[in-house]
Amino acid sequence: MKHLIIFGPPGAGKGTQAEKLSQSLNLIHLSTGQQLRELVINQGISQSEINNIMTAGGLVSDEMVNQMVAQFIVDHPKQIFLLDGYPRNLIQANFLDNLLGAENIMVLNLVVSEKETVNRLASRGRLDDQADNVKRRWLTYCKNTQPLITYYEKNKRLINVDGEGSIEEVFKRLEIDAKQLTDNS
Ligand code: AP5
């Protein structure tokens, strides 16, 4: 039984697929992006620095995000987690390995072209989905997050999944691997 990370660039479909997989396989879905957006809404102006970072397509501090994830895991004992949007750099990946045990974590990497993700985000309209912001989110992904692919591949902890096609088609591909990896029997 493994905990899963759903990985990929902005607009790859991580959130969409994580919702579906968590329902179908009874996993606990944690989206750090969603948690941060809720924090900004709930705490208003005092969290505006976070909002600025997110809108600009940068990364919120590792300390804050790591603490948020650690607390979430403590609050949900004996569960199988599906992490979406975390980890996003080596510091976070090491932190998570220590938290859950490296041997208990597998990554499903959604492979989607930049062109396709730009098209998808152009029609969504979230605050950080304007063309310039999407470009910056992609740059942040390439610089900080994409190198994790090598990190996880080194220990054979990463499976590439074709993330193009309809939401249902991608889900069917992901579900096969996710089912095997999270099987308790
Ligand atoms: P986050 O919310 O994680 O944003 P992201 O990684 O840029 O990802 P998105 O939510 O845009 O895309 P997604 O891959 O989830 O795709 P989705 O399913 O939504 O993070 C936001 C910000 O928070 C970050 O920029 C950062 O500032 C901060 N943050 C978050 N985590 C952090 C961390 N760990 N450390 C530091 N900072 C952190 O789909 C996108 C669109 O495409 C949707 O409209 C969807 O309907 C559509 N779609 C999905 N699949 C398909 C398909 N197969 N065909 C057609 N359309 C599709």
Side-chain angles (χ1 to χ4, degrees), residues 111-179:
V111 182
V112 185
S113 70
E114 182 169 0
K115 188 167 168 239
E116 170 68 15
T117 65
V118 167
N119 284 340
R120 289 181 188 177
L121 296 177
S123 53
R124 179 171 63 178
R126 206 167 73 190
L127 263 182
D128 55 350
D129 282 342
Q130 278 142 16
D132 281 359
N133 305 54
V134 170
K135 197 168 271 177
R136 280 198 291 268
R137 278 158 62 201
W138 253 93
L139 287 174
T140 302
Y141 169 78
C142 292
K143 183 168 168 238
N144 299 279
T145 310
Q146 200 174 34
L148 289 182
I149 292 177
T150 315
Y151 173 78
Y152 287 115
E153 270 179 338
K154 228 185 307 178
N155 300 317
K156 300 194 169 35
R157 291 200 281 157
L158 182 133
I159 297 173
N160 287 312
V161 178
D162 180 0
E164 301 212 359
S166 72
I167 289 173
E168 262 330 295
E169 284 166 348
V170 178
F171 175 65
K172 281 194 187 124
R173 287 177 209 135
L174 277 170
E175 199 188 24
I176 295 169
D177 288 319
K179 212 177 229 165

Side-chain angles (χ1 to χ4, degrees), residues 8-17 31-34 36-37 53-54 57-62 65 84-88 92 116 120-121 124 126 128-129 137 163-167 170:
K14 302 183 292 295
T16 304
Q17 297 297 338
S31 159
T32 45
Q34 189 53 35
L36 289 165
R37 280 186 287 279
I53 294 171
M54 290 172 73
L59 292 183
V60 174
S61 82
D62 294 327
V65 178
D84 148 21
Y86 181 93
R88 266 177 143 97
Q92 295 181 11
E116 170 68 15
R120 289 181 188 177
L121 296 177
R124 179 171 63 178
R126 206 167 73 190
D128 55 350
D129 282 342
R137 278 158 62 201
E164 301 212 359
S166 72
I167 289 173
V170 178

Side-chain angles (χ1 to χ4, degrees), residues 29-52:
H29 174 201
L30 170 59
S31 159
T32 45
Q34 189 53 35
Q35 289 234 333
L36 289 165
R37 280 186 287 279
E38 282 167 19
L39 197 69
V40 167
I41 291 168
N42 294 337
Q43 303 202 355
I45 196 123
S46 63
Q47 298 293 339
S48 63
E49 196 187 328
I50 300 175
N51 195 31
N52 290 343

